[in-house]
Amino acid sequence: MEIIMAIAAGVLVTCAVYLILSKSILRIIIGTGLLSHAAHLLVMVMGGLKTGDAPVIKDGVTAYTDPLPQALVLTAIVISFGVTAFFLVLAYRAYQELGTDNIEEMKGNDSYD
Amino acid sequence: MSLLHLAILLPLFASLFIPIIRRSLHRIHTGWFVLAVPVSLVLFFSRFVSEVAAGGVRMEKMPWIPSLGIDFTVYVDGLSLLFALLITGIGALVVLYSIYYLDKKESLHTFYVYLLLFMTAMLGVVLSDNMIVLYLFWEMTSISSFLLIGYWYQKERSRYGAQKSMLITVFGGLAMLGGISILSLLADTFSIREVIAASGAFKDEPFYIAALVLILLGAFTKSAQFPFHIWLPDAMEAPTPVSAYLHSATMVKAGLYLVARMSPVFADTPLWFYLVSGVGMITLLYGSVSAVRQTDLKAILAYSTVSQLGLIMSLLGVGSLSSEGQQDLALAATVAAIFHLMNHATFKGSLFMMAGIIDHETGTRDIRKLGGLAQVMPVSLTIALIGTLSMAGVPPFNGFLSKEMFLTALTDLMHGGVRDLRTYGTILLVLGVVASIFTFVYSLMLVKETFFGKRNELPKKAHEAPVGMLVSPLVLVTLVVLVGLFPNALAKPFIIPAVEAVALKTPKVDIYMWHGFNLELALTILIFGLGAFLVLTLRKWNRQAGAGLFNRIYDASLVYGERSSTGLHDAVMTGYMRSYLVYIFGFIVTIVLSTLWLMDGFSLPDRASDVTAYEMILLGVMLISAVAITFARSRLTSIVLLGVVGYSVALFFVLFRAPDLALTQLVIETVSVALFLLVFYHMPDISRKEERIKFKLGNAAISILVGATVTLVALSALAGREFASISSYYIKNVYDLAGGGNMVNVILVDFRGFDTLFEISVLAIAALGIYAMIKFRKTGGNPR
């Protein structure tokens, strides 16, 4: 399962990078969303999958799944949510002010040089 | 701190008071107050003359950075003392001259502050024993010279000249720092004295030659040796007292000082001999030929300085010969070098001051406009005649004596003991004679074109300079004559101790005018004869020089450097985010894949958990929707598909036994998708616009490479897992220590609570940021 999931994470990264390289700012944000999914899955996979029960103390259970990667991923999910929300609003405001969502048109003014 | 340290730093301390004096005593020329500094220093240093002449040296130590072995050690021997007296003596004369040369309206305080800064720097260079301290003062001379050349900063040529000299001398200074560093590593000390003592031990070390070349680079750039001479003629934009002081008598001799000082370390090495003598000789010839082609008085003198410095340098090169049978020759050459170094300081200083007087009294320095000043400026004429004749090497002035010694050294080298030096010696002699002819030509040309011939219209009505202005050059030409007549008076107090410091042997100094009928006499007659012929026919063969080849190379390299860096910048920094992302991804892929390849790091994990049908189906759903996003026509579709991926991830968390993650992921994915939709709802234009991303092969290739890299690294890392997880501690202690049953939550708030604290801060900052972005708008903006 770990091998399959590693390959799946690779596929997610591929899609994410492809989106990030596109011109539309919204697609770029979608790409970052995919990239964080890939990263979260990868952290889980690297910690080892299904080595026991869910990490909640229960009588009679001796083997639990590694709780540490789960705690890390939980932190990462929250942070990436905060950043994504911020980016989304930023894109929205940029569109309002500049009238475009094409990243190539947001090159800035040469007169600032 | 001893009196010697105070003497070196005295000009620096004095310079602190200059602005105050200038402001409070503005009716008196500030120079009069400054004059006290060099005069007292001359008196101070002359106290050492008898002691040093008796063979004594004085060493004073002051710790500066003892932990690094850097001490401000002052070392006075014959060579340092000679230079210190030159610096302070000519310094005093130059200050006196500048009092009459510079008007009180000029910003005198800056001038004298820079000049005193320079004086400290120069004294520090010649008196320091510690190489790092020497380097410090060395760069201080570069900086103060830069400031003085750019003194009239309103003029474009001044700024150009200042920049040029700065670039070239600092280039050399940094090279020298490299050489010093290597040398100090080889000898394990920063003290020149100890390096000389240890020099025999590291001659075969691999970096020894590098140290030699780097130190010579420093010396050659500072002393305006070929092809680094180009900064000196452009430094003539400085006020004339500065040109006389820095660019003829003292700073340009710092390189000579360095070569002389380092001679005991490197003299055995043939490369040192060939480089120093060869470059010196080329400089001598090139400088003298270029000087003839100039029309500006100061430019002629600048090239003449270049060529005379080359002469001294070549003599120092010959003086470094130390193999058997050439000891006497080497000593004689060193004596000649030291003697000419002193002579040059006297006559070149006086000539520069004379040029300044002519400029001051007529308003021009162009020899095409000047002429016939002999009647109106008789004193200046006398000064100029004595100076130029000495420079040309005409008896009975001191230049004649040192030129004779130069020719003697070269003929001896030609006849010299070792066979393989004969050809080289002959070449040097021929070059030296040709250069001497041209020296003769420009020296006489200088006087002839300025003082004789027809008088032209001049910007100012020419008349003799004020007495105060004439004092300094008169003192110098008096020295020229006195040294010419009684050269041996200098031998005991100055020349012998200085040569002892350079060659570590005591020379026999016996300078006299008449050598008898020999090759040198014939050569001298040849020089005078051909020189006189060339002067008389000057108009027929001489044409004025444009910018020389090396100046053009320098300018072109500046332009080319700027243009190519701009070109590189424009090519790389496109301003498109995509390009930068491509660089970043490309770099990651290259570095990671090549490391994997080179280290042979790839391997497959051998242990794995089982695969169930649920997981395969879920995997299919997730991957299909992820790939579909990239092909989606509408952006709304991509948002929904992103939601599908997010929920699949949540379901994976369920399958991987992570209930808290599944919960959070579900909630957050819902909120994110809602946010995406909210944003799109407010962007009506965009949500309706339906276009697919144009498929781009390059982007696809990069993304596949990045994805493959991630997978390969993940698999290799899985395979190479070495240690058991630390989570057994959490699992064991979660109830006993923390009193909770849910391990993930206990880790988040108890074992690793700090992470959570700052994750909360991240959310708070994001929320505040979003609020600010929406709320605070540019007034007069256009919110839709």
Side-chain angles (χ1 to χ4, degrees):
Chain A
M1 191 65 213
E2 277 86 350
I3 297 177
I4 296 169
M5 285 312 289
I7 294 167
V11 174
L12 284 185
V13 169
T14 305
C15 298
V17 170
Y18 189 77
L19 286 166
I20 286 173
L21 288 174
S22 70
K23 282 180 192 164
S24 154
I25 206 165
L26 294 157
R27 287 196 205 274
I28 291 174
I29 300 175
I30 291 174
T32 57
L34 268 185
L35 196 63
S36 40
H37 287 321
H40 302 156
L41 278 181
L42 208 55
V43 174
M44 293 294 290
V45 172
M46 303 302 285
L49 294 175
K50 298 189 283 188
T51 50
D53 265 22
V56 179
I57 291 222
K58 203 158 64 170
D59 281 339
V61 177
T62 48
Y64 294 99
T65 307
D66 196 339
L68 192 58
Q70 297 193 13
L72 297 182
V73 171
L74 196 64
T75 311
I77 288 173
V78 175
I79 290 175
S80 69
F81 167 70
V83 175
T84 307
F86 186 87
F87 270 155
L88 271 173
V89 177
L90 189 65
Y92 166 61
R93 290 285 297 121
Y95 175 72
Q96 271 191 334
E97 293 292 329
L98 305 171
T100 178
D101 79 328
N102 186 341
I103 198 91
E104 312 237 307
E105 289 169 18
M106 296 183 184
K107 250 186 81 176
N109 197 331
D110 280 344
S111 66
Y112 290 130
D113 284 354
Chain B
M1 184 179 266
S2 68
L3 220 55
L4 269 166
H5 291 98
L6 282 177
I8 291 176
L9 297 176
L10 173 71
L12 194 64
F13 292 141
S15 72
L16 295 178
F17 298 99
I18 298 292
I20 305 169
I21 292 173
R22 161 83 166 150
R23 178 157 296 202
S24 52
L25 295 162
H26 53 88
R27 245 179 267 160
I28 309 169
H29 197 289
T30 318
W32 290 114
F33 299 100
V34 178
L35 190 57
V37 174
V39 168
S40 51
L41 285 177
V42 172
L43 296 176
F44 174 75
F45 281 113
S46 45
R47 280 178 30 198
F48 290 94
V49 170
S50 54
E51 184 186 333
V52 168
V57 291
R58 188 70 85 83
M59 193 152 167
E60 299 283 354
K61 206 165 182 174
M62 188 181 85
W64 182 29
I65 315 175
S67 56
L68 297 179
I70 298 174
D71 298 310
F72 185 5
T73 309
V74 178
Y75 181 85
V76 185
D77 63 358
L79 189 65
S80 325
L81 187 66
L82 172 65
F83 269 92
L85 282 171
L86 274 182
I87 292 159
T88 49
I90 296 186
L93 294 176
V94 161
V95 170
L96 178 66
Y97 175 78
S98 72
I99 292 171
Y100 292 92
Y101 185 83
L102 286 174
D103 198 82
K104 263 191 277 185
K105 288 191 207 79
E106 302 266 9
S107 61
L108 290 175
H109 49 295
T110 54
F111 180 81
Y112 286 114
V113 167
Y114 299 161
L115 201 72
L116 288 174
L117 180 70
F118 171 78
M119 205 179 285
T120 283
M122 204 58 214
L123 284 174
V125 166
V126 299
L127 290 167
S128 294
D129 177 54
N130 192 293
M131 293 192 288
I132 295 294
V133 177
L134 188 146
Y135 172 73
L136 176 88
F137 285 118
W138 185 276
E139 292 298 29
M140 247 171 91
T141 63
S142 294
I143 291 169
S144 49
S145 166
F146 167 79
L147 291 168
L148 284 167
I149 297 169
Y151 177 64
W152 284 309
Y153 56 85
Q154 304 90 340
K155 288 199 296 182
E156 210 248 322
R157 295 287 313 164
S158 295
R159 298 198 301 271
Y160 172 80
Q163 187 203 36
K164 192 173 188 177
S165 75
M166 185 76 165
L167 284 176
I168 293 175
T169 54
V170 169
F171 159 75
L174 288 174
M176 188 185 104
L177 180 62
I180 286 173
S181 310
I182 296 174
L183 212 54
S184 67
L185 286 173
L186 290 178
D188 199 27
T189 174
F190 283 118
S191 161
I192 298 176
R193 214 110 327 275
E194 289 164 26
V195 169
I196 291 172
S199 64
F202 54 75
K203 291 249 191 273
D204 299 323
E205 297 280 340
F207 283 103
Y208 172 74
I209 293 295
L212 187 158
V213 171
L214 288 172
I215 286 183
L216 274 188
L217 257 182
F220 286 170
T221 48
K222 200 71 164 184
S223 278
Q225 297 295 298
F226 183 89
F228 305 110
H229 63 275
I230 50 173
W231 67 267
L232 189 61
D234 280 304
M236 291 302 128
E237 295 301 322
T240 304
V242 173
S243 310
Y245 188 33
L246 274 68
H247 306 129
S248 73
T250 54
M251 190 183 86
V252 287
K253 296 209 166 98
L256 299 175
Y257 169 79
L258 190 71
V259 169
R261 191 43 103 198
M262 291 291 175
S263 254
V265 181
F266 294 109
D268 295 352
T269 318
L271 183 66
W272 176 269
F273 162 72
Y274 284 115
L275 269 180
V276 175
S277 61
V279 170
M281 190 55 74
I282 294 170
T283 313
L284 166 59
L285 183 63
Y286 188 86
S288 63
V289 173
S290 302
V292 177
R293 300 169 58 182
Q294 307 301 315
T295 57
D296 181 278
L297 277 182
K298 277 175 86 177
I300 298 172
L301 290 174
Y303 277 107
S304 133
T305 305
V306 168
S307 98
Q308 303 280 319
L309 292 170
L311 188 152
I312 301 170
M313 192 66 93
S314 64
L315 279 174
L316 284 175
V318 176
S320 71
L321 275 178
S322 59
S323 50
E324 289 303 316
Q326 292 162 330
Q327 306 273 10
D328 293 342
L329 160 64
L331 268 183
T334 312
V335 170
I338 299 291
F339 188 47
H340 193 67
L341 191 142
M342 296 159 67
N343 293 344
H344 177 251
T346 53
F347 67 69
K348 194 51 66 69
S350 70
L351 284 177
F352 265 108
M353 290 173 182
M354 184 273 302
I357 289 171
I358 289 171
D359 187 18
H360 207 260
E361 304 307 332
T362 64
T364 181
R365 295 196 312 247
D366 193 330
I367 55 171
R368 287 168 301 189
K369 294 184 189 145
L370 292 166
L373 295 175
Q375 288 94 30
V376 283
M377 302 172 81
V379 185
S380 305
L381 170 67
T382 317
I383 294 166
L385 259 182
I386 296 173
T388 49
L389 289 179
S390 174
M391 183 158 74
V394 175
F397 305 112
N398 60 7
F400 170 73
L401 299 168
S402 40
K403 180 129 321 165
E404 288 299 285
M405 291 160 79
F406 168 67
L407 292 175
T408 310
L410 291 185
T411 43
D412 283 357
L413 184 67
M414 189 174 70
H415 297 311
V418 183
R419 188 160 274 285
D420 60 339
L421 283 178
R422 241 188 219 170
T423 330
Y424 187 70
T426 316
I427 296 170
L428 280 195
L429 181 66
V430 172
L431 293 180
V433 169
V434 174
S436 302
I437 294 171
F438 277 100
T439 307
F440 188 86
V441 172
Y442 71 69
S443 303
L444 290 203
M445 177 183 91
L446 196 70
V447 180
K448 179 171 163 271
E449 299 287 317
T450 311
F451 289 99
F452 299 100
K454 192 158 64 45
R455 179 122 44 109
N456 296 326
E457 273 304 304
L458 291 168
K460 286 187 192 168
K461 192 163 156 36
H463 55 80
E464 190 57 86
V467 180
M469 216 166 177
L470 291 169
V471 170
S472 301
L474 277 174
V475 170
L476 286 173
V477 291
T478 314
L479 280 176
V480 168
V481 176
L482 283 181
V483 172
L485 295 177
F486 311 105
N488 289 315
L490 288 177
K492 202 166 155 26
F494 298 114
I495 299 176
I496 292 177
V499 173
E500 275 173 345
V502 179
L504 307 180
K505 283 183 204 71
T506 309
K508 198 161 66 68
V509 178
D510 196 11
I511 306 165
Y512 47 92
M513 289 258 178
W514 180 248
H515 293 257
F517 296 100
N518 53 14
L519 185 58
E520 292 97 292
L521 182 72
L523 288 174
T524 309
I525 292 169
L526 175 77
I527 291 167
F528 289 171
L530 255 178
F533 171 73
L534 284 175
V535 173
L536 292 175
T537 57
L538 196 63
R539 296 268 156 78
K540 296 204 175 68
W541 56 270
N542 191 22
R543 56 191 178 79
Q544 286 135 20
L549 173 66
F550 293 97
N551 279 311
R552 284 205 300 277
I553 291 176
Y554 168 82
D555 289 335
S557 67
L558 278 195
V559 170
Y560 176 76
E562 234 175 84
R563 197 184 294 149
S564 55
S565 71
T566 315
L568 183 69
H569 171 267
D570 286 350
V572 176
M573 308 300 278
T574 55
Y576 294 113
M577 202 172 80
R578 185 184 168 274
S579 333
Y580 308 139
L581 287 171
V582 169
Y583 304 152
I584 294 169
F585 288 133
F587 184 77
I588 294 171
V589 167
T590 327
I591 291 295
V592 174
L593 285 188
S594 60
T595 311
L596 265 183
W597 173 263
L598 289 174
M599 298 297 186
D600 198 18
F602 180 72
S603 51
L604 274 177
D606 49 359
R607 61 189 165 76
S609 54
D610 53 328
V611 184
T612 62
Y614 299 124
E615 288 162 345
M616 289 315 288
I617 294 165
L618 197 54
L619 197 68
V621 171
M622 183 179 79
L623 291 185
I624 287 166
S625 27
V627 174
I629 295 176
T630 59
F631 294 104
R633 277 180 170 280
S634 133
R635 292 166 205 220
L636 206 60
T637 320
S638 19
I639 293 170
V640 174
L641 285 172
L642 181 66
V644 174
V645 174
Y647 288 128
S648 325
V649 170
L651 288 179
F652 267 119
F653 289 152
V654 172
L655 288 175
F656 295 158
R657 314 215 165 111
D660 301 284
L661 287 188
L663 197 66
T664 318
Q665 178 69 26
L666 276 177
V667 174
I668 278 188
E669 197 57 34
T670 314
V671 177
S672 313
V673 170
L675 251 177
F676 269 102
L677 291 175
L678 191 74
V679 168
F680 280 90
Y681 179 75
H682 284 285
M683 290 180 174
D685 298 349
I686 282 182
S687 63
R688 256 184 246 116
K689 204 159 56 179
E690 296 198 351
E691 62 168 271
R692 243 171 63 183
I693 320 179
K694 267 186 249 151
F695 179 75
K696 280 188 186 142
L697 195 64
N699 288 1
I702 291 168
S703 359
I704 288 170
L705 274 173
V706 175
T709 308
V710 169
T711 305
L712 290 179
V713 170
L715 290 177
S716 309
L718 271 173
R721 197 163 162 183
E722 305 246 326
F723 300 104
S725 168
I726 55 163
S727 295
S728 54
Y729 172 82
Y730 296 132
I731 294 168
K732 207 189 302 166
N733 293 312
V734 66
Y735 193 78
D736 303 335
L737 290 183
N742 184 329
M743 294 166 205
V744 175
N745 289 2
V746 169
I747 289 175
L748 281 175
V749 298
D750 192 321
F751 289 127
R752 299 179 57 88
F754 275 119
D755 292 355
T756 314
L757 178 66
F758 290 108
E759 159 199 341
I760 292 168
S761 326
V762 168
L763 272 190
I765 291 167
L768 282 174
I770 289 167
Y771 178 79
M773 268 195 295
I774 291 173
K775 201 74 182 167
F776 302 141
R777 309 211 164 177
K778 203 168 62 180
T779 46
N782 186 19
R784 277 169 222 200

